[in-house]
Amino acid sequence: MSDYTIIVINREFGCGAREIARNLTSDLGIHFYDKELIDLAAEKAGVNQSIIQRVDESVGGRHIGTLFRDFGYGSTTSFFSDKAIEAQADVIREIAARKKTCVIFGRCADYYLREYSNVVAFFLYAPMSYRIRHISESNGLTYDEAEKLIKRVDRQKHDYYKYITGKNRGDRFDKHMMIDVAKFGVEGSVTMMKDALDYLQKTKS
């Protein structure tokens, strides 16, 4: 891509979006910002990472902090104090200002960068049955455990996104393309995203 594009990917938990994002960045040969954003925000906020890993925070009166030690899934904690939220927003905008094509995964980047003309925001989702099966198989959980985990993550991510943006996470606002991963699969989803990016690139020429 001759003109730099910031690719933002938001998703429903359990649809395989992280794999899709990694495949997309690998195919395009660009940087993938995911959990690294938490580290960068912690550094900017001046908070020691070892402390962040022990902190539970509350946003809008709802618990957001430590993520799913009982299930062994993903990061052990996320730090979402107002100070860290502000730092994370600054980090995301700084990344966009570097004028290098990259993928930013989640963390309300679609909202923080909504006024940037060079941003393309994708939203990946799937039916609950698909998500339960994916989480169960990839994490060695029973279907009941997987469903419980998904509902818990959905509730927390919704609360967090609503707190930051005032909007619902799955709304079409600030999103340019929404893909049902169950319908198109990982490979098909990556292909559709690349085709969309190629089309946008051609229209700029």
Side-chain angles (χ1 to χ4, degrees):
M1 297 180 186
S2 56
D3 296 329
Y4 79 101
T5 301
I6 305 299
I7 302 161
V8 173
I9 299 177
N10 284 305
R11 83 290 189 197
E12 285 185 334
F13 175 72
C15 72
R18 185 169 276 106
E19 179 184 0
I20 292 169
R22 285 174 176 156
N23 289 354
L24 178 66
T25 53
S26 177
D27 287 356
L28 297 178
I30 59 178
H31 194 83
F32 178 37
Y33 291 96
D34 184 8
K35 295 174 185 176
E36 176 185 355
L37 291 171
I38 295 176
D39 297 333
L40 293 172
E43 181 179 354
K44 190 173 187 67
V47 181
N48 189 287
Q49 186 66 17
S50 64
I51 295 175
I52 290 178
Q53 290 174 350
R54 298 194 300 270
V55 172
D56 285 347
E57 289 293 333
S58 193
V59 171
R62 300 292 291 274
H63 176 75
I64 298 291
T66 302
L67 295 179
F68 323 126
R69 288 192 182 94
D70 293 342
F71 294 97
Y73 182 84
S75 173
T76 55
T77 65
S78 292
F79 182 70
F80 293 133
S81 69
D82 287 340
K83 183 178 181 181
I85 288 170
E86 182 179 353
Q88 189 163 258
D90 288 343
V91 165
I92 288 171
R93 293 187 183 107
E94 288 170 4
I95 290 170
R98 292 173 188 169
K99 297 187 177 181
K100 291 184 178 180
T101 297
C102 65
V103 168
I104 302 177
F105 194 69
R107 292 168 178 91
C108 300
D110 59 330
Y111 177 77
Y112 294 136
L113 302 179
R114 64 193 181 281
E115 297 179 357
Y116 287 62
S117 61
N118 61 317
V119 169
V120 180
F122 296 100
F123 188 83
L124 306 177
Y125 66 96
M128 178 61 80
S129 58
Y130 179 94
R131 297 160 65 198
I132 290 173
R133 184 172 67 254
H134 175 71
I135 290 297
S136 174
E137 293 174 355
S138 61
N139 292 277
L141 304 177
T142 67
Y143 272 37
D144 286 344
E145 288 172 334
E147 183 176 12
K148 180 181 177 181
L149 175 59
I150 289 168
K151 288 180 177 179
R152 184 178 175 187
V153 178
D154 277 349
R155 183 174 63 252
Q156 292 180 323
K157 286 185 177 295
H158 172 78
D159 289 347
Y160 177 67
Y161 192 87
K162 186 83 169 180
Y163 179 80
I164 300 297
T165 71
K167 302 174 183 177
N168 293 323
R169 190 162 50 99
D171 286 348
R172 67 185 184 278
F173 305 106
D174 302 321
K175 300 171 181 65
H176 303 119
M177 187 173 187
M178 306 178 81
I179 301 174
D180 182 346
V181 178
K183 182 73 171 179
F184 298 100
V186 171
E187 184 177 349
S189 297
V190 172
T191 297
M192 291 175 68
M193 295 164 79
K194 290 195 296 185
D195 286 347
L197 293 167
D198 285 344
Y199 173 79
L200 290 174
Q201 186 65 28
K202 289 176 182 177
T203 61
K204 292 179 182 179
S205 306

